[in-house]
Amino acid sequence: MALPSRVKIVEVSPRDGLQNEKEFVPTDIKVELINRLSAAGFPNVEAASFVSPKWVPQMADGADVMARIERRPGTIYSVLTPNMKGFEGALAAGADEIVIFGAASEAFSQKNINCSIAESIARFEPVVQAAREAGMRVRGSISCALGCPYQGEVPVEAVVDVAQRYLAMQVDEIDVADTIGVGTPQRVRDVMTAVTRVVNPAHVSGHFHDTYGQALANILAALETGISIFHTSVAGLGGCPYAKGATGNVATEDVLYMLRGLDIDTGVDFDAVVDIGQWMSAHLNRKGSSRAGNAIAAKRAA
Ligand code: HMG
Ligand code: MG
């Protein structure tokens, strides 16, 4: 299949990138990160989570973050909402898009959101309905679509099953997520091919963590199956508190560098993203994990 000429990048570092940071990242820094990402041209920034602050303390300031960011016209600001309480927070914050987040693995569903897959779907239904009535976009994320830290193998049918339940709720976009970065390109092809038999590929995204170094190859495999939306995190920040040992999302800089080489447009300013990655890593007091970002920064310094 011919590769798409344009790809939508959803920048998830303010949420997925920071949620697992042990030290609380000041609200000012989160706001600056989001503002800089919007200014760099990202069409979609995942800005916050409206989840229990006891479960994920780093995301406790979501309402403040949302109140203080500058909204760039053309950027969609998304927030995670596991239930109606989360939705109420998202509505009050004026989020453009909510993200319901289920899993293709029962064990992960229990650990992450404290309920079964079926219970999660029942919880999401009123959330999606309320969001649609409020004119908000809705995204449905499927964790552990390529493997589970508790259960191991996850059958392709389990991923398709959750996708069909989301489709029945009329979500706008469905994220196929490799929470722990275990997928390899053939498996990605199999899962994406199966999902896009039931969901229009224009509405499916790939969310790849890079734990096993497979994320760029997995994105290329997904592109070849017709997927044109990907989630990335500047400097490769991130990890899930309920997936021990899993590292961050694929680094935005690395994906932009690969896409530029493939002549695929994203509308994002690559040099600005390199700067953001270096700035954020300096703030967190460590070297970022983007190979392309670090290479360019080293070249600039030489
Ligand atoms: P629970 O304990 O079963 O919920 O947690 P509950 O309804 O019994 O409520 C317990 C307490 O939480 C109550 O407070 C509620 O008010 C409060 P208390 O009376 O004890 O003081 N509460 C809330 N507070 C704020 N916002 C809310 C909310 N809901 C309840 N929305 C719950 C269930 C889902 C809330 C909990 O399990 C939770 O918050 N989990 C967080 C999960 C999370 O954020 N995980 C990381 C994001 S998912 C991810 O990273 C994967 C992804 O990137 C894709 C991939 O890579 O796979 C998306
Ligand atoms: Mg994730």
Side-chain angles (χ1 to χ4, degrees):
M1 188 185 284
L3 299 185
S5 56
R6 195 174 171 90
V7 150
K8 175 171 113 174
I9 300 285
V10 180
E11 229 297 22
V12 298
S13 63
R15 196 283 302 172
D16 207 340
L18 295 184
Q19 70 180 9
N20 206 27
E21 284 295 324
K22 296 286 167 281
E23 291 265 313
F24 190 75
V25 176
T27 307
D28 283 350
I29 298 287
K30 290 172 178 148
V31 169
E32 185 172 348
L33 174 62
I34 295 167
N35 288 346
R36 289 178 73 156
L37 292 170
S38 320
F42 287 97
N44 194 330
V45 176
E46 205 167 86
S49 290
F50 286 89
V51 299
S52 163
K54 285 181 195 144
W55 285 61
V56 187
Q58 185 62 253
M59 294 285 105
D61 59 348
D64 274 356
V65 168
M66 290 296 287
R68 286 164 54 183
I69 55 172
E70 285 161 30
R71 308 287 179 106
R72 187 187 77 106
T75 297
I76 293 168
Y77 297 90
S78 318
V79 302
L80 267 60
T81 55
N83 51 22
M84 280 310 287
K85 189 174 167 95
F87 171 74
E88 280 148 24
L91 184 66
D96 303 303
E97 179 179 73
I98 59 149
V99 183
I100 51 169
F101 50 106
S105 142
E106 283 294 348
F108 188 79
S109 182
Q110 289 290 352
K111 296 273 185 194
N112 195 39
I113 51 174
N114 206 23
C115 63
S116 69
I117 296 173
E119 283 164 343
S120 75
I121 299 293
R123 252 181 226 179
F124 296 151
E125 270 163 2
V127 174
V128 173
Q129 199 184 332
R132 295 187 67 79
E133 279 163 16
M136 294 155 108
R137 271 179 62 91
V138 179
R139 187 139 64 67
S141 173
I142 309 176
S143 283
C144 298
L146 288 130
C148 170
Y150 309 104
Q151 170 187 316
E153 289 273 313
V154 173
V156 172
E157 300 73 47
V159 183
V160 173
D161 184 58
V162 179
Q164 279 174 315
R165 289 168 195 266
Y166 284 166
L167 206 56
M169 285 188 235
Q170 297 184 295
V171 306
D172 297 288
E173 218 162 282
I174 294 180
D175 308 332
V176 173
D178 187 3
T179 316
I180 52 170
V182 287
T184 52
Q186 187 54 50
R187 185 72 177 167
V188 169
R189 262 181 224 117
D190 294 345
V191 172
M192 289 304 194
T193 302
V195 169
T196 55
R197 269 194 205 110
V198 297
V199 187
N200 180 340
H203 301 161
V204 177
S205 71
H207 175 112
F208 298 110
H209 285 260
D210 202 21
T211 318
Y212 288 79
Q214 303 296 299
L216 280 180
N218 288 342
I219 288 177
L220 189 55
L223 282 166
E224 286 166 357
T225 66
I227 305 302
S228 60
I229 309 170
F230 295 97
H231 296 190
T232 70
S233 176
V234 73
L237 288 171
C240 177
Y242 302 100
K244 289 273 172 290
T247 64
N249 298 87
V250 63
T252 307
E253 299 92 314
D254 296 356
V255 175
L256 293 178
Y257 185 83
M258 180 177 85
L259 294 177
R260 195 167 68 173
L262 290 166
D263 220 8
I264 296 175
D265 189 25
T266 59
V268 174
D269 178 346
F270 176 67
D271 291 319
V273 177
V274 171
D275 289 341
I276 299 168
Q278 298 297 307
W279 162 76
M280 196 63 215
S281 303
H283 175 78
L284 295 172
N285 224 354
R286 62 173 181 258
K287 196 170 177 183
S289 65
S290 167
R291 304 282 287 269
N294 292 341
I296 299 219
K299 207 159 108 181
R300 281 181 189 164

